[in-house]
Amino acid sequence: MAERRDVVIIGAGAAGMMCAIEAGRRGRRVLVLDHAKAPGEKIRISGGGRCNFTNIHAGPKNFLSANPHFAKSALARYTPRDFLDLVERHRIAWHEKTLGQLFCDNSAKDIIAMLLAEMRAAGVELRLSTAIGDIAHDGTSFRISTEQGAIEAASLVVATGGKSIPKMGATGFAYRVAEQFGLPVVETRAGLVPLMLDPATLAAHEGLPGVAVDVAACHGKTEFREAALFTHRGLSGPAILQISSYWREGEEIGLHIRPDLEFAAIIAAARRQNGRQAVQTVLAEHIPKKLAQLVATDLGIDGPLAELSGKRIDALVQRLRDWRFRPPASEGYRTAEVTLGGVDTAALDSRSMAAKAVPGLYFIGEAVDVTGWLGGYNFQWAWASGHAAGQEA
Ligand code: FDA
């Protein structure tokens, strides 16, 4: 005899736990299954251990999806303010770091404890270390096989996230379930991920790893103004992670170094003031010294400012305005914060996350083809999509 529940949720991550709370509050008998030993492992490691749990500016424009309108309904019905109210009800101290990003003062574990407390209050049962086997559907209910026996439920919510960080148990399980039920899956790829550089470029950048600078990272018309970081493998830092989600293998990105400054005017003024100084010295007042040296050396610029031709200075200014890189690859799922693509939103109802063709089947969170920018947006999608499904499942 199989156990029976109203709702089975696979995945005790951000989206699955939020969905469980909402469904439990409606009086549904909810069971959450996860193969991991602990719930919310990605919450625990997020935001450097302090969890950037939402972004007060989160709106549909901060998300990538084949259908940019899909996320609107869920995001509008569960807002950053709604999540913040929950955080404040649990007396979790928080602060805004930058660009609307909200973090815990103390620890990401506070968010996990809050979600577990809400789940308990809503009568939700959580079963960890549970490997999921086959899923069958007879038209009215789902039968989920596990090592400990089968469970039957009228609603099945798939909240198993994407493929990023396989070391933490990310599996691509949701895509297999979608395929089993005939739902299309938008091609997946690593997002919010460091970009690699080829060995020749890395060799030419010797000395740069560890150097960070404010940039505008550009890909086509998309631009992010944040810090970039040179690493031993290539490029990282928030601006690079942001642009990586728009970039595809083999394409170029451009870096505008210190977009807040007019280097042409700075160099002209320095030249008038003291033509004997080297351009590196002038640049090093505004950007890290190692970077200033590399840019000058790379363009074969040496000697006093007064002796530099206008053409050379133009080349230097142009390099700082649009430094082009063609990364051969990203670091991939091993270090990616998110997975782009996923269950095709065309197959889902935007109000409830239900599969249009399979009554009772829901996909939420990162498993769906909705991916946020860096900065708390991905958790906001997890909360909002989990909340949406939890109101119907
Ligand atoms: P999530 O991946 O959280 O949960 C999926 C759950 O399903 C896991 O518990 C997993 O064990 C389980 N599971 C998977 N396969 C299974 C299977 N086959 N059987 C049973 N269970 C299975 N976002 C943000 O907004 N702010 C931030 O600060 C950060 N920081 C951050 C840091 C790092 C290092 C990473 C990798 C990611 C972030 N993110 C982030 C992104 C954020 O963590 C991510 O978008 C959400 O956790 C997605 O929530 P989900 O619930 O959809 O999946």
Side-chain angles (χ1 to χ4, degrees):
M1 266 282 284
E3 292 179 63
R4 264 211 84 83
R5 296 289 187 284
D6 297 322
V7 184
V8 165
I9 299 172
I10 307 180
M17 290 199 275
M18 179 56 88
C19 181
I21 294 163
E22 282 309 308
R25 280 182 186 158
R26 287 172 41 238
R28 302 284 279 163
R29 287 175 306 151
V30 182
L31 171 64
V32 182
L33 302 173
D34 200 303
H35 64 178
K37 285 199 210 90
E41 279 292 89
K42 280 204 180 153
I43 300 176
R44 185 176 59 78
I45 62 158
S46 68
R50 291 227 159 85
C51 187
N52 177 193
F53 55 79
T54 191
N55 191 300
I56 45 173
H57 306 306
K61 65 181 186 310
N62 308 112
F63 294 85
L64 291 87
S65 171
N67 175 3
H69 303 293
F70 180 81
K72 282 183 181 168
S73 168
L75 290 172
R77 286 181 296 124
Y78 193 82
T79 65
R81 185 67 244 179
D82 291 324
F83 192 76
L84 196 52
D85 286 346
L86 186 61
V87 165
E88 289 179 339
R89 272 206 305 280
H90 285 257
R91 301 184 194 287
I92 297 173
W94 60 273
H95 62 280
E96 180 182 344
K97 200 165 174 186
T98 171
L99 304 168
Q101 302 168 4
L102 306 192
F103 286 78
C104 298
D105 283 359
N106 177 34
S107 165
K109 289 182 193 159
D110 293 346
I111 298 291
I112 302 174
M114 172 189 87
L115 294 168
L116 290 174
E118 289 287 328
M119 279 163 65
R120 273 193 302 275
V124 172
E125 190 186 339
L126 171 62
R127 209 171 282 174
L128 298 166
S129 304
T130 302
I132 312 296
D134 293 344
I135 295 173
H137 184 227
D138 63 8
T140 50
S141 76
F142 294 88
R143 187 183 172 91
I144 300 107
S145 304
T146 76
E147 281 165 336
Q148 293 95 332
I151 304 133
E152 285 179 354
S155 295
L156 172 63
V157 183
V158 182
T160 49
K163 291 183 185 168
S164 25
I165 324 267
K167 226 171 59 187
M168 294 190 69
T171 54
F173 177 85
Y175 317 129
R176 290 200 296 278
V177 177
E179 274 157 16
Q180 178 190 337
F181 286 95
L183 271 57
V185 174
V186 175
E187 184 200 357
T188 58
R189 58 198 172 90
L192 300 181
V193 63
L195 298 176
M196 314 264 272
L197 292 175
D198 60 79
T201 311
L202 286 175
H205 287 181
E206 205 193 311
L208 276 194
V211 167
V213 63
D214 280 344
V215 301
C218 311
H219 177 269
K221 289 199 173 92
T222 309
E223 177 184 304
F224 289 94
R225 281 193 176 205
E226 283 185 71
L229 173 71
F230 292 85
T231 72
H232 288 287
R233 294 169 188 277
L235 296 166
S236 188
I240 301 298
L241 299 189
Q242 297 281 33
I243 212 71
S244 75
S245 295
Y246 291 82
W247 165 92
R248 293 202 176 231
E249 246 139 71
E251 290 178 351
E252 275 191 337
I253 60 160
L255 295 190
H256 185 169
I257 311 286
R258 291 292 309 263
D260 54 323
L261 298 179
E262 268 302 334
F263 280 106
I266 288 169
I267 294 170
R271 194 175 170 152
R272 278 195 304 274
Q273 248 172 25
N274 175 6
R276 276 169 307 165
Q277 60 185 328
V279 77
Q280 296 89 303
T281 315
V282 179
L283 293 183
E285 286 171 25
H286 305 281
I287 63 176
K289 194 170 162 196
K290 283 180 181 166
L291 186 59
Q293 270 161 354
L294 180 114
V295 171
T297 317
D298 206 28
L299 294 170
I301 293 177
D302 205 2
L305 264 180
E307 289 172 20
L308 286 186
S309 68
K311 220 166 141 191
R312 295 229 117 169
I313 292 174
D314 287 349
L316 181 74
V317 170
Q318 181 55 24
R319 167 65 58 92
L320 292 167
R321 184 178 298 144
D322 189 20
W323 194 356
R324 300 254 121 203
F325 293 89
R326 195 183 288 278
S330 77
E331 287 189 7
Y333 293 119
R334 189 180 61 80
T335 58
E337 276 201 15
V338 286
T339 303
L340 290 149
V343 179
D344 194 334
T345 58
L348 304 178
D349 180 308
S350 65
R351 273 193 73 77
S352 63
M353 308 294 132
K356 289 174 189 167
V358 188
L361 180 63
Y362 299 79
F363 289 87
I364 56 175
E366 199 178 315
V368 177
D369 173 32
V370 173
T371 307
W373 291 356
L374 184 79
Y377 302 100
N378 283 297
F379 279 137
Q380 188 55 38
W381 170 246
W383 314 135
S385 59
H387 179 265
Q391 299 212 309
E392 190 188 277

